[in-house]
Amino acid sequence: MLGSFLIFFGVISLFWNYYLGLRDEVYSDMKIAMMDSSYEPSNINDVITGAPTADNVATDNTEAGSTYYEIDYSKYLGVLEIPKIGLKRGFYDVTSRYNDIQYNVTMVQGSTTPDVVNGNLILMAHSGDAYISYFAYLWRLNIGDMVYVTYHGVKYSYQITNIYQVEKNGVVLIQRNYDKTSLTMITCTKDDDSSQTIYISEQVG
């Protein structure tokens, strides 16, 4: 009896590990927004093509009385903080399988890290009511509000300089000053399924 149980348990474990591996492989193959390498931008414009639409996702509220745990931010490439809306969330490198909008704040392919002078870190996340809607409250932000990114132990400060909307069609025009080190955040527009809102911030420290 014990032997049969151990064999059964071993078979279940093998299938479970296979399932997890297959799932991770599928997610790692998902398309993340790509920078259009054929586009020659002017001194104030970038274009992201093939961008995920970051649709407002369905409600998936956490049950009352759920257990909360301390997040280990050391596993992330960087950490995004927006005190005004109480957001603190890590993000992974573009090469990570966890750099997926279905799980995390997503770093867009073609982004640069905060230490690159005049570079642009581009982050996207869902809005809406689900537990993965990390950008649900970006609509509360205004020009002049502060955003922070911690990278390699250094905390970089950004100030929002521009907020605008674009049509949700898979192409996002980023209007930024190429003489400034920037942070761009992209999500769906609140109460508007046809557009996305772009938040441009410039590094101030």
Side-chain angles (χ1 to χ4, degrees), residues 6-199:
L6 290 176
I7 292 174
F8 175 77
F9 183 78
V11 171
I12 293 299
S13 297
L14 287 174
F15 275 106
W16 180 249
N17 289 334
Y18 173 77
Y19 165 76
L20 291 179
L22 183 61
R23 185 199 65 180
D24 288 343
E25 183 176 342
V26 170
Y27 283 135
S28 68
D29 289 338
M30 286 183 174
K31 296 293 184 181
I32 307 300
M34 300 294 293
M35 192 71 77
D36 184 1
S37 58
S38 65
Y39 177 78
E40 294 296 330
S42 68
N43 64 344
I44 60 168
N45 296 318
D46 281 332
V47 168
I48 299 176
T49 60
T53 56
D55 291 324
N56 291 286
V57 290
T59 301
D60 185 11
N61 294 325
T62 305
E63 293 182 6
S66 297
T67 301
Y68 295 92
Y69 59 92
E70 190 70 24
I71 298 175
D72 178 14
Y73 289 104
S74 65
K75 64 184 179 181
Y76 295 105
L77 173 71
V79 178
L80 172 70
E81 293 182 74
I82 310 179
K84 182 175 180 177
I85 59 174
L87 176 66
K88 183 177 182 180
R89 184 70 188 179
F91 57 90
Y92 291 91
D93 185 84
V94 291
T95 61
S96 172
R97 67 177 63 181
Y98 302 112
N99 185 55
D100 190 307
I101 201 168
Q102 300 304 326
Y103 292 116
N104 296 293
V105 171
T106 302
M107 183 178 179
V108 176
Q109 186 75 33
S111 293
T112 56
T113 52
D115 58 339
V116 176
V117 177
N118 298 338
N120 188 21
L121 172 61
I122 309 169
L123 301 176
M124 296 192 307
H126 282 297
S127 57
D129 300 318
Y131 71 97
I132 57 171
S133 301
Y134 301 115
F135 282 179
Y137 298 109
L138 289 194
W139 62 271
R140 295 180 176 176
L141 299 178
N142 299 305
I143 291 175
D145 287 337
M146 297 300 297
V147 181
Y148 304 92
V149 174
T150 300
Y151 172 71
H152 282 189
V154 179
K155 190 170 185 177
Y156 296 88
S157 301
Y158 296 82
Q159 189 168 37
I160 296 177
T161 58
N162 193 13
I163 301 173
Y164 61 95
Q165 296 176 9
V166 297
E167 181 183 357
K168 190 189 297 182
N169 60 9
V171 179
V172 175
L173 177 68
I174 296 181
Q175 302 172 1
R176 75 179 186 94
N177 187 339
Y178 267 62
D179 294 326
K180 301 289 184 179
T181 305
S182 305
L183 165 68
T184 299
M185 297 180 292
I186 305 172
T187 196
C188 282
T189 302
K190 180 176 171 60
D191 299 326
D192 182 357
D193 292 334
S194 65
S195 69
Q196 292 176 294
T197 303
I198 318 301
Y199 299 80

